[in-house]
């Protein structure tokens, strides 16, 4: 491999000749060989904020951010935003807790790539690309931008797709009556469409909660610089750069009013991830419902069938398992684990800065990406193929002792309970037990006992 010599305040260091990063990135690359790379969504967000910062600086301090420099930064930043330079961002999540080295990675890549474009040494990573900024305000800004954009671009389409699939399933099963269940025990009747509507409505409410949690994330720390005072940033930079970011992304970002809060608190991300955890909890419940209802094929509930996507056993021929449900529930527990990490990390801000930011945003984005892909897979490979076993639902309904609830207003709770115990103990139908106890005539029973009217 060919190398070139780069210099920083600590001296000289060899850098791969075909990479745009510089000395500070290389030092981090050599010193932190821990875990996975910084998420691409963070790199993309940095491209946006560096572009916006250059434009704001050009407006406020054109003597320093000249048109020539702005044009060069814009070209390099656009390449980052378009995903053309991701190979030049080698740094990992587990580095400095402020994300300083990732900020410098972006500064160095933009400077070196822009200098290559213009054919001369025009830009300095710190003086030009990082003008009016600090790692302490750029990284939290990138966190917010990446969180919002990933939810908009990935999670919402996936979640809406599942909601729509349940709407279709709901309509297909209108009027199909089955036994309800509470405490894993037989309960009063419910229509299958009503049961599905509960799943759908839970997801719609999750969407609403996630959406409401995004508004605080649209407050940006940029302009706070090192400790929240805005040192070395021109007056009005925070407002101007937020407007530029809003213009680039089409999202209504604005500057955070209290920059001291913006640097040290990560409450907005904790709050938003809590909404993601709520979604994960509902998905866990829905996936479990579906795999219980599909259990069998002969010895389980068997009230629905789900697609048979692949063999389920290496030893039991013909076995098919609810694998999409299992994948979704594993994602759900991972999201719950991520939530614990995010909450603990957010609690560790000391004085003017939180130094657990990379792990917070890595877990946040992992949750969004996992949920997005798992929901799509679950929708396409499971939900869209669900079919009601209507005969099994009918048989189970007719065999349910909890239909006796329809008789309670006419014979009383205690007598209805006696009917159930007699029917269960002697393996009688509810009608047979009621007539044997003499609580109703056959005609009266037929008038009062209408399961289809109990929903």
């Amino acid at each position: 491999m060919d190398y070139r010599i780069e210099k920083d305040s600590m001296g000289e260091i060899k850098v791969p000749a075909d990479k745009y990063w510089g000395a500070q990135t290389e030092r981090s690359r050599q010193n932190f060989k821990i875990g996975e790379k910084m998420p691409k969504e963070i790199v993309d967000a940095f491209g946006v904020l560096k572009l916006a910062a250059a434009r704001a600086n050009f407006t406020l301090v054109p003597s320093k951010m000249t048109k020539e420099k702005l044009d060069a930064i814009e070209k390099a930043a656009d390449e980052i935003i378009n995903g053309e330079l991701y190979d030049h961002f080698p740094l990992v999540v587990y580095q400095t807790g402020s994300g300083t080295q990732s900020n410098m990675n972006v500064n160095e890549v933009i400077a070196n790539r822009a200098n290559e474009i213009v054919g001369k040494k025009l830009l300095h990573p710190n003086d030009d690309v990082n003008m009016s900024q600090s790692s302490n305000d750029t990284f939290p800004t990138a966190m917010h931008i990446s969180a919002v954009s990933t939810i908009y671009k990935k999670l919402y389409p996936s979640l809406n797709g599942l909601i729509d699939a349940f709407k279709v399933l709901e309509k297909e099963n209108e009027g199909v009556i089955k036994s309800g269940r509470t405490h894993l025990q037989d309960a009063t009747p419910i229509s299958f469409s009503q049961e599905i509507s509960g799943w759908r409505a839970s997801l719609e409410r999750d969407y609403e909660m996630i959406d409401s949690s995004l508004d605080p994330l649209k407050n940006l720390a940029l302009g706070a610089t090192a400790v929240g005072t805005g040192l070395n940033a021109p007056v009005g930079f925070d407002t101007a750069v937020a407007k530029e970011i809003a213009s680039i992304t089409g999202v209504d970002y604005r500057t955070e009013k209290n920059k001291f809060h913006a640097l040290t608190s990560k409450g907005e991300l904790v709050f938003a991830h809590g909404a993601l955890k709520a979604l994960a909890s509902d998905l866990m419940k829905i996936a479990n419902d579906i795999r219980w209802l599909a259990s069998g094929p002969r010895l389980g509930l068997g009230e629905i069938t789900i697609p048979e996507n692949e063999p389920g056993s290496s030893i039991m021929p013909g076995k098919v398992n609810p694998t999409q449900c299992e994948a979704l529930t594993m994602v759900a527990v991972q999201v719950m684990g991520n939530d614990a990490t995010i909450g603990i990390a957010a609690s560790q801000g000391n004085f003017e800065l939180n130094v657990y930011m990379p792990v917070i945003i890595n877990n946040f984005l992992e949750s969004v990406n996992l949920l997005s892909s798992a929901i799509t897979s679950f929708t396409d490979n499971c939900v869209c193929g669900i079919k009601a076993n209507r005969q099994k639902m009918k048989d189970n309904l007719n065999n349910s002792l909890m239909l006796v609830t329809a008789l309670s207003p006419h014979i009383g709770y205690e007598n209805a309970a006696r009917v159930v115990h007699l029917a269960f103990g002697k393996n009688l139908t509810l009608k047979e037990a009621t007539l044997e106890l003499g609580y109703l005539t056959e005609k009266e029973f037929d008038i009062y006992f209408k399961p289809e009217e109990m929903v």
Side-chain angles (χ1 to χ4, degrees):
M1 180 181 290
D2 293 330
Y3 294 92
R4 70 178 189 277
I5 300 299
E6 287 276 344
K7 297 180 181 179
D8 61 8
S9 60
M10 298 183 72
E12 295 184 344
I13 189 168
K14 292 198 302 183
V15 175
D18 61 339
K19 302 302 181 184
Y20 291 124
W21 69 71
Q24 292 194 45
T25 301
E26 183 62 24
R27 293 189 193 283
S28 180
R29 190 172 79 100
Q30 292 184 12
N31 291 329
F32 297 98
K33 299 178 181 179
I34 310 170
E36 65 266 47
K37 285 176 61 176
M38 191 67 69
K40 183 178 183 299
E41 294 89 346
I42 281 286
V43 175
D44 295 343
F46 261 109
V48 169
L49 76 86
K50 294 296 179 181
L51 173 59
R55 289 176 177 174
N57 281 321
F58 174 69
T59 300
L60 297 172
V61 282
S63 60
K64 291 183 177 180
M65 180 56 66
T66 64
K67 185 66 167 63
E68 184 183 21
K69 289 181 177 181
L70 172 62
D71 289 344
I73 290 174
E74 285 184 328
K75 289 183 175 68
D78 281 339
E79 290 183 359
I80 292 175
I81 295 168
N82 293 332
E84 299 172 30
L85 301 179
Y86 189 57
D87 288 344
H88 299 270
F89 295 92
L91 302 188
V92 297
V93 171
Y94 299 97
Q95 51 164 283
T96 175
S98 62
T100 296
Q101 285 124 19
S102 282
N103 179 49
M104 281 308 304
N105 188 179
V106 181
N107 292 333
E108 290 174 342
V109 168
I110 289 177
N112 286 331
R113 174 59 182 142
N115 289 339
E116 180 181 71
I117 291 171
V118 298
K120 62 180 178 179
K121 195 170 181 60
L122 174 68
L123 298 174
H124 186 279
N126 300 77
D127 295 336
D128 299 307
V129 186
N130 201 57
M131 186 187 299
S132 308
Q133 305 153 63
S134 163
S135 299
N136 296 353
D137 64 353
T138 58
F139 201 88
T141 297
M143 292 168 77
H144 282 207
I145 294 171
S146 63
V148 172
S149 68
T150 308
I151 288 173
Y152 279 157
K153 293 176 182 177
K154 295 184 178 180
L155 183 59
Y156 281 176
S158 295
L159 186 50
N160 282 328
L162 180 53
I163 291 169
D164 289 342
F166 279 136
K167 287 179 180 177
V168 171
L169 194 63
E170 193 177 336
K171 188 171 181 60
E172 287 176 354
N173 290 279
E174 288 179 353
V176 178
I177 311 302
K178 53 165 287 186
S179 178
R181 295 179 177 86
T182 58
H183 302 272
L184 294 180
Q185 305 295 308
D186 304 342
T188 54
I190 187 174
S191 73
F192 189 35
S193 61
Q194 289 173 328
E195 189 168 37
I196 298 165
S197 78
W199 301 337
R200 170 187 52 77
S202 295
L203 298 177
E204 289 172 338
R205 183 60 53 83
D206 291 326
Y207 187 108
E208 293 169 1
M209 291 190 292
I210 293 169
D211 207 47
S212 68
S213 76
L214 295 189
D215 190 64
L217 287 174
K218 294 174 184 177
N219 293 331
L220 302 181
L222 210 53
T225 65
V227 295
T229 61
L231 180 67
N232 290 349
V235 175
F237 175 79
D238 56 351
T239 302
V241 76
K243 287 181 179 178
E244 291 290 348
I245 292 172
S247 177
I248 294 166
T249 61
V251 178
D252 55 336
Y253 291 108
R254 63 261 175 181
T255 190
E256 168 60 53
K257 293 180 180 178
N258 191 308
K259 303 298 191 299
F260 308 103
H261 156 78
L263 297 192
T264 193
S265 173
K266 298 293 154 257
E268 293 88 347
L269 286 157
V270 174
F271 179 61
H273 197 273
L276 297 177
K277 183 174 71 170
L279 171 61
S281 299
D282 282 328
L283 290 169
M284 170 76 84
K285 189 268 182 192
I286 292 166
N288 279 334
D289 282 356
I290 288 173
R291 63 176 166 179
W292 274 110
L293 290 173
S295 60
R298 291 186 173 179
L299 306 182
L301 296 179
E303 290 191 347
I304 63 172
T305 59
I306 56 177
E308 298 182 352
N309 295 323
E310 62 274 319
S313 173
S314 62
I315 189 173
M316 293 175 281
K319 194 172 191 294
V320 179
N321 296 328
T323 52
Q324 290 295 321
C325 296
E326 292 166 5
L328 186 59
T329 54
M330 285 192 287
V331 165
V333 297
Q334 181 64 55
V335 171
M336 294 172 192
N338 286 348
D339 193 74
T341 298
I342 289 169
I344 294 169
S347 74
Q348 298 303 303
N350 304 118
F351 305 115
E352 278 65 60
L353 188 67
N354 178 286
V355 290
Y356 289 72
M357 291 191 287
V359 74
I360 290 173
I361 194 58
N362 184 62
N363 280 29
F364 190 103
L365 293 172
E366 180 184 51
S367 291
V368 177
N369 284 318
L370 281 174
L371 286 168
S372 302
S373 55
I375 289 170
T376 297
S377 182
F378 182 64
T379 302
D380 295 345
N381 299 310
C382 181
V383 174
C384 288
I386 289 175
K387 300 295 180 185
N389 186 339
R390 299 190 180 192
Q391 186 59 50
K392 182 68 171 178
M393 289 182 177
K394 183 178 180 180
D395 292 345
N396 286 343
L397 175 66
N398 291 334
N399 200 35
S400 172
L401 296 176
M402 288 306 100
L403 295 178
V404 78
T405 308
L407 304 180
S408 291
H410 308 287
I411 65 175
Y413 183 94
E414 297 296 338
N415 287 339
R418 292 187 185 97
V419 169
V420 169
H421 289 299
L422 178 63
F424 184 69
K426 297 179 68 174
N427 196 27
L428 303 174
T429 66
L430 289 174
K431 185 174 185 177
E432 290 170 340
T434 303
L435 296 181
E436 181 173 321
L437 290 169
Y439 292 147
L440 293 172
T441 66
E442 185 173 356
K443 181 178 180 180
E444 288 172 329
F445 184 93
D446 291 340
I447 291 172
Y448 302 144
F449 190 78
K450 295 184 183 298
E452 67 277 4
E453 294 180 3
M454 296 177 68
V455 298

